[in-house]
Amino acid sequence: MYEECLKRLLEPLGVYDLSPRSVSGAELCALGRGLDAAAGRLDRAEREGLTATAEDEGLRRREALFARRPAAFTPEARRAAIAALMGIAGDSLTPGAIDSAIRGCGIRARAIEMGGQKLRVIFPETAGEPPEFGQIRKIILDILPCHLEVEFYFRYLTWAECERAGHTWAAVEEHTWESFQLAVPPED
């Protein structure tokens, strides 16, 4: 790339032999490769230097700033989680701000104020305990103010839902107890 650019700049002068076998041509080739390598490193530094475009090292370095690594795996989700964590400030104690920070970290959960400095964290799109709940729990407890009592609420099938769905014992026998608990109907 840079080799061709240098040749185009020097060619109109007519002073240099720019053929590949000439000293001038070989020197331009070496300079071009060096400039290409430097440009590649600069492009990578620029990309990784911004949260919005970072893909690897930039994300790892930002995640290292926090006590816990966000529960996100794709670069896009990791970027959103980092932005959410960096947005937490002293005035981020409203239920909406807490809820936004939790979801921004890649955790599909909602925080609900229960009154009396109690907060319930629900996982509306997940039946039972979400995968990697241990990590998710640590992240949520790090985000939430320490004076709040936090209750984690998991969704399981209720007897009332069984009755509404018209489940019979014959239909239920195809399930294990665990699969039956997790057979919750979709939420409205």
Side-chain angles (χ1 to χ4, degrees):
M1 182 170 128
Y2 275 102
E3 177 185 358
E4 295 304 316
C5 181
L6 291 171
K7 283 183 179 179
R8 278 195 310 273
L9 286 172
L10 295 174
E11 196 170 39
L13 298 175
V15 178
Y16 301 100
D17 177 8
L18 301 176
S19 64
R21 298 205 181 272
S22 70
V23 173
S24 300
E27 186 176 356
L28 287 178
C29 180
L31 287 171
R33 285 185 184 157
L35 288 171
D36 285 343
R41 287 192 296 273
L42 285 173
D43 287 344
R44 183 175 183 274
E46 181 180 21
R47 182 186 67 238
E48 296 297 323
L50 300 171
T51 303
T53 57
E55 295 175 358
D56 184 38
E57 181 183 0
L59 295 175
R60 277 196 322 271
R61 286 180 181 251
R62 282 173 184 77
E63 289 167 344
L65 298 173
F66 304 106
R68 308 253 183 263
R69 187 177 183 280
F73 303 103
T74 65
E76 295 80 19
R78 289 170 67 193
R79 287 184 203 118
I82 290 166
L85 288 170
M86 292 177 97
I88 298 172
D91 61 349
S92 298
L93 301 178
T94 65
I98 290 171
D99 201 40
S100 176
I102 289 172
R103 279 186 275 128
C105 290
I107 301 170
R108 292 189 317 239
R110 260 185 34 232
I112 301 171
E113 208 172 7
M114 302 301 290
Q117 296 188 339
K118 292 182 182 177
L119 197 68
R120 176 180 284 171
V121 177
I122 64 170
F123 302 89
E125 301 168 19
T126 305
E129 191 173 294
E132 299 186 22
F133 175 68
Q135 174 73 5
I136 290 170
R137 182 182 182 278
K138 290 175 186 174
I139 293 169
I140 290 173
L141 292 178
D142 281 347
I143 292 171
L144 296 177
C146 61
H147 71 280
L148 294 179
E149 181 182 335
V150 180
E151 169 187 285
F152 293 95
Y153 182 81
F154 305 113
R155 177 92 166 82
Y156 292 99
L157 185 64
T158 65
W159 288 113
E161 290 169 332
C162 288
E163 288 176 7
R164 273 196 305 273
H167 287 307
T168 63
W169 286 112
V172 170
E173 285 183 1
E174 67 186 51
H175 288 282
T176 65
W177 179 249
E178 287 179 9
S179 71
F180 184 62
Q181 287 186 80
L182 299 177
V184 297
E187 294 185 27
D188 298 329

